[in-house]
């Protein structure tokens, strides 16, 4: 009698907390307990594997490989969820799944797969189109970042979405795009926006690629080509578009902000020091940051208070390109190359310390990646980012390099050839619930 | 020797498990029972077999231990910005870390989570055969253990990822009740998803 000893390695974990005792009613329980330890499923250790399958749940798994020189193959894919195409799922077990559990599972299926599953049967078709299900689906933590690429040449248009976790291209139709849309501006919170000249009017289009809903926004007060940033507020179920002059435009024009709640553009303050033109901008935490040229500096505009401020953070010396990338919450990054002479060049990332008002270097691109990405020092590259991910694409080589700021991991984007020469790319987070209104 | 309160659980096949109250309360169902005053007697769980209950207790125990660990370290901020040479610079992420404890209706912070051993542990925990996984998701639903539900539902969703429509039908034992024309129509609407 007494306690049965559980001879599994799990005992280390739970022996102090779980005592398998005997029920006073039934003596045979004790035998059951001992048998459990010895037989039953072959593997009772929590760390072992039962079954021949290796099904990893979708956690971000970081697999690090040691550097093997320049010919590195698939280095790391930050978002890889190990997919095993030959997983067998047994029938009969899953057929007995209750409906509410089926919904829980379907809500975690990647958005692109949802479309495919609609043709399984009528019941699934109706579940997967139901608004409350789609909303539920959108609430599951992001299914992983995607990239939208846009290429336009005269009449031909090519717009595709690449899913990083699934390593697959999806040619979501963007047939609704009018001919005049020639610029993929970016994406935020599941909405993608384009701009172009409709005749002489500069216009913006907002769409949700998953639902194929789209809308042309009303015209701005000042008709000119502008730099645009879309900001989605999911809590508020609204979005704003901020327009500012780019380096080719008229600097005396004020900032205009479109608010989806009033469906109108509002004119905001003109930037003081209008003689400076801004080349890059980023938006985070209700603040618009503008990088000004000659001299290189940072201006900040608070959208809520309509108040401009100069941020006197000194830019790094001999900075060659200064990409501003907004991270999560209040984080603002500066990305660019240092060093005029090619052998000494390095790509670095700084973060703005808001309190001390300095740019703090947080990372340098490892030299071998730098060499792989930019074979020639004069080679052009694009840099963009979202949610603490920074992506580098080289113009001439179809390569994409990703830096995860939180995990401090560099990885090549696998399975995707992005030719950024004449192609525009941005991050995209597919969501069913992103509303264009 | 633990001086913590122990809760006694009984599985459907009569196996008895004694667990710490904190571990038992990972299950909202059991938590309500304790609140209703049943914490001092044996709590029967007729829908959960001993084998599965064992695994579930293991899961809850691990997560409770990890939570306690985090709480002890809660004052120390997770420094994401590396002090390279400028050691005197204080990263502003400190505020953000504290904000993480605020409950938001939409879990935007899910991608904020640092990869930790617990993710690895979870991955290995859920790496089980299908019948176990089925029982785990059903039990986690009955016992109302959100974390385990998330983990198992996601694991099953991942298994479905590469399946064709036919395979899905077979697995879930579903009859295709579309006419060929209807099915064709649906496929054509989103033909890009079938490539």
């Amino acid at each position: 009698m007494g306690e049965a000893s559980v001879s599994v390695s799990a005992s280390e974990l739970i022996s102090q907390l779980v005592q398998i005792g005997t029920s006073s009613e039934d003596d045979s329980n004790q035998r059951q307990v001992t048998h459990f330890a010895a037989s039953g499923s072959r593997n009772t250790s929590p760390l072992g594997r039962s079954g021949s399958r290796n099904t990893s749940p979708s956690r971000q798994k970081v697999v690090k490989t040691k550097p093997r020189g320049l010919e590195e193959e698939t280095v790391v894919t930050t978002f890889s969820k190990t997919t095993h195409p030959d997983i067998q799922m047994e029938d009969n077990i899953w057929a007995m799944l209750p409906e509410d559990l089926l919904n829980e599972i379907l809500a975690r299926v990647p958005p692109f797969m949802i479309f495919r599953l609609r043709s399984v049967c009528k019941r699934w078709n109706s579940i997967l189109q139901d608004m409350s299900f789609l909303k539920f689906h959108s609430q599951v933590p992001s299914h992983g970042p995607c990239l939208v690429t846009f290429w336009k040449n005269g009449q031909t248009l090519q717009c595709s979405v690449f899913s990083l976790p699934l390593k697959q291209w999806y040619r979501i139709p963007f047939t609704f795009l009018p001919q005049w849309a020639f610029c993929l501006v970016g994406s935020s919170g599941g909405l993608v926006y384009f701009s172009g000249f409709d005749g002489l009017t500069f216009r913006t289009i907002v769409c949700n690629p998953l639902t194929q809903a789209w809308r042309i926004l009303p015209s701005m007060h000042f008709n000119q080509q502008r730099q645009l940033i879309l900001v989605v507020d999911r809590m508020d179920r609204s979005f704003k578009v901020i327009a500012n002059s780019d380096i080719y435009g008229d600097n005396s024009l004020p900032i205009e902000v479109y608010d989806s709640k009033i469906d109108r553009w509002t004119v905001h303050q003109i930037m003081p020091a209008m003689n400076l033109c801004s080349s890059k901008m980023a938006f985070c935490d209700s603040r618009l940051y503008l990088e000004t040229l000659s001299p290189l500096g940072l201006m900040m505009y608070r959208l809520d208070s309509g108040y401009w401020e100069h941020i006197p953070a000194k830019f790094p010396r001999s900075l060659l390109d200064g990409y501003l990338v907004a991270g999560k919450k209040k984080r603002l990054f500066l990305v660019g190359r240092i060093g005029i002479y090619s052998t000494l060049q390095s790509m670095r990332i700084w973060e703005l310390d808001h309190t001390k008002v300095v740019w703090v270097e947080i990372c340098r691109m490892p030299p071998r990646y730098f060499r792989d990405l930019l074979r020639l020092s004069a080679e052009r590259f694009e840099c963009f980012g979202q949610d603490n991910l920074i992506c580098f694409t080289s113009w001439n080589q179809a390569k994409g390099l990703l830096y995860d700021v939180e995990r401090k991991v560099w990885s090549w984007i696998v399975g995707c050839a992005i030719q950024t020469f004449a192609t525009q790319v941005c991050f995209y987070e597919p969501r069913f619930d992103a509303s264009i209104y | 020797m633990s001086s913590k309160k122990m809760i006694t659980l009984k599985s459907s096949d009569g196996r008895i498990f004694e667990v710490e109250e904190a571990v038992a309360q990972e299950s909202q169902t059991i938590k309500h029972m304790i609140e209703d005053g049943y914490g001092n007697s044996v709590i029967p769980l007729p829908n959960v077999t001993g084998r599965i209950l064992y695994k579930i207790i293991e899961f809850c125990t691990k997560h409770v231990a990890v939570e306690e660990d985090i709480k002890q370290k809660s004052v120390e901020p997770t420094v994401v910005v590396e002090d390279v040479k400028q050691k005197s610079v204080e990263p502003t992420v400190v505020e953000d870390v504290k904000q993480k404890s605020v409950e938001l209706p939409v879990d935007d912070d899910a991608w904020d989570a640092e990869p930790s051993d617990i993710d690895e542990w979870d991955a290995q925990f859920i790496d089980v055969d299908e019948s176990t996984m089925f029982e785990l998701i059903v039990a986690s639903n009955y016992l109302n253990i959100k974390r385990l539900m998330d983990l198992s539902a996601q694991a099953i969703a991942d298994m479905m990822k590469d399946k064709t429509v036919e395979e899905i039908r077979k697995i879930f034992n579903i009859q295709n009740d579309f006419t060929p024309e209807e099915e064709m129509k649906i496929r054509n609407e989103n033909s890009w998803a079938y490539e």
Side-chain angles (χ1 to χ4, degrees), chain B residues 157-172:
Chain B
D158 286 348
M159 283 200 287
M160 284 170 62
K161 259 197 307 228
D162 291 312
K163 301 282 171 287
T164 65
V165 173
E166 261 311 312
E167 286 168 340
I168 298 277
R169 283 186 191 131
K170 196 157 170 295
I171 290 161
F172 288 89

Side-chain angles (χ1 to χ4, degrees), chain A residues 382-413:
Chain A
E382 286 300 321
C383 175
F384 55 91
Q386 200 175 82
D387 293 338
N388 293 355
L389 288 175
I390 302 179
C391 183
F392 298 84
T393 52
S394 134
W395 268 50
N396 291 329
Q397 306 179 76
K399 281 186 181 177
L401 184 65
L402 210 58
Y403 179 64
D404 184 328
V405 178
E406 283 159 23
R407 287 171 176 65
K408 305 197 186 87
V409 172
W410 290 92
S411 58
W412 291 107
I413 297 176

Side-chain angles (χ1 to χ4, degrees), chain A residues 6 8 10 13-14 17-23 25 29 32-33 36 41 46-50 53-61 79 81 83-85 87-97 100-102 104-106 108-110 112-113 115-122 124-125 141-145 166 168 170-173 234-235 328-331 351-356 360-362 364 405-408, chain B residues 6 10 13-20 23 51 54 57-58 61-62 79-82 84-86 88-93 95-96 99-100 104-115 119-131 133-134 137-138 141 149-151 153-165 168-178 182-183 186-187 190 192-195:
Chain A
V6 181
V8 292
L13 276 177
I14 55 180
L17 299 168
V18 176
Q19 296 154 25
I20 303 181
T22 54
S23 157
E25 299 133 47
N29 280 347
Q32 272 186 326
V33 171
F36 169 68
S41 73
L47 298 178
R49 299 191 194 292
S50 40
R53 256 155 277 111
N54 188 7
T55 56
S56 314
S58 53
R59 297 282 158 179
Q60 288 179 358
K61 237 178 171 176
F79 306 101
K81 299 164 193 176
T83 50
H84 297 260
I87 293 175
Q88 294 296 6
M89 285 177 79
E90 295 169 45
D91 340 344
N92 298 332
I93 299 183
W94 300 106
M96 297 189 295
L97 201 65
D100 52 346
L101 292 187
L102 178 66
E104 291 276 347
I105 293 169
L106 290 177
R108 288 165 174 84
V109 167
F112 306 115
M113 184 76 182
F115 291 98
R116 202 191 282 187
L117 296 179
R118 283 182 184 162
S119 62
V120 167
C121 66
K122 285 187 181 163
W124 279 38
N125 190 25
S142 176
H143 294 271
L166 303 177
Q168 229 183 319
Y170 292 98
R171 295 274 207 96
I172 297 181
R234 288 203 357 249
M235 233 74 81
K328 277 185 179 165
K329 301 200 172 118
K330 294 188 174 70
R331 305 182 76 174
E351 176 168 355
L352 183 68
D353 180 328
H354 295 274
T355 4
K356 296 213 164 82
V360 179
E361 185 181 312
I362 59 169
R364 279 183 210 198
V405 178
E406 283 159 23
R407 287 171 176 65
K408 305 197 186 87
Chain B
M6 302 301 278
K10 182 171 164 192
D13 43 352
R15 279 234 278 298
I16 303 292
F17 297 82
E18 264 192 38
V19 295
E20 269 186 31
V23 173
R51 181 176 84 97
Y54 183 95
I57 290 170
E58 193 190 305
T61 308
K62 176 70 177 180
V79 178
V80 183
V81 174
E82 250 177 6
V84 184
K85 268 104 192 174
Q86 294 99 324
S88 56
V89 177
E90 291 277 286
T92 41
V93 289
E95 299 157 30
D96 301 324
Q99 274 173 24
K100 271 186 195 156
L104 297 174
V106 176
D107 195 46
D108 257 324
D109 284 352
W111 278 68
D112 266 336
E114 274 211 302
D119 289 335
E120 290 291 316
W121 191 92
D122 278 350
Q124 286 176 330
F125 176 84
I126 204 66
D127 190 6
V128 291
D129 61 86
E130 281 177 43
S131 63
M133 209 181 291
F134 180 85
I137 193 175
V138 169
N141 187 37
M149 166 70 94
D150 286 343
L151 183 67
Q154 189 65 68
I156 300 166
D158 286 348
M159 283 200 287
M160 284 170 62
K161 259 197 307 228
D162 291 312
K163 301 282 171 287
T164 65
V165 173
I168 298 277
R169 283 186 191 131
K170 196 157 170 295
I171 290 161
F172 288 89
N173 201 17
I174 294 176
Q175 284 288 35
N176 180 9
D177 52 355
F178 285 121
E182 284 170 342
E183 189 177 343
I186 295 191
R187 279 181 183 248
N190 299 296
W192 54 268
Y194 295 89
E195 281 154 31

Side-chain angles (χ1 to χ4, degrees), chain A residues 37-52:
Chain A
S39 66
S41 73
R42 213 170 352 181
N43 197 342
T44 52
S45 158
L47 298 178
R49 299 191 194 292
S50 40
S52 53

Side-chain angles (χ1 to χ4, degrees), chain A residues 23 27 68 71 135 157 171 199 222 224 261 272 277 311 322 336:
Chain A
S23 157
D27 242 28
R68 283 181 236 115
E71 258 77 8
K135 203 162 152 205
L157 184 151
R171 295 274 207 96
F222 297 96
Q224 201 184 88
K261 288 197 288 206
C277 59
I311 308 276

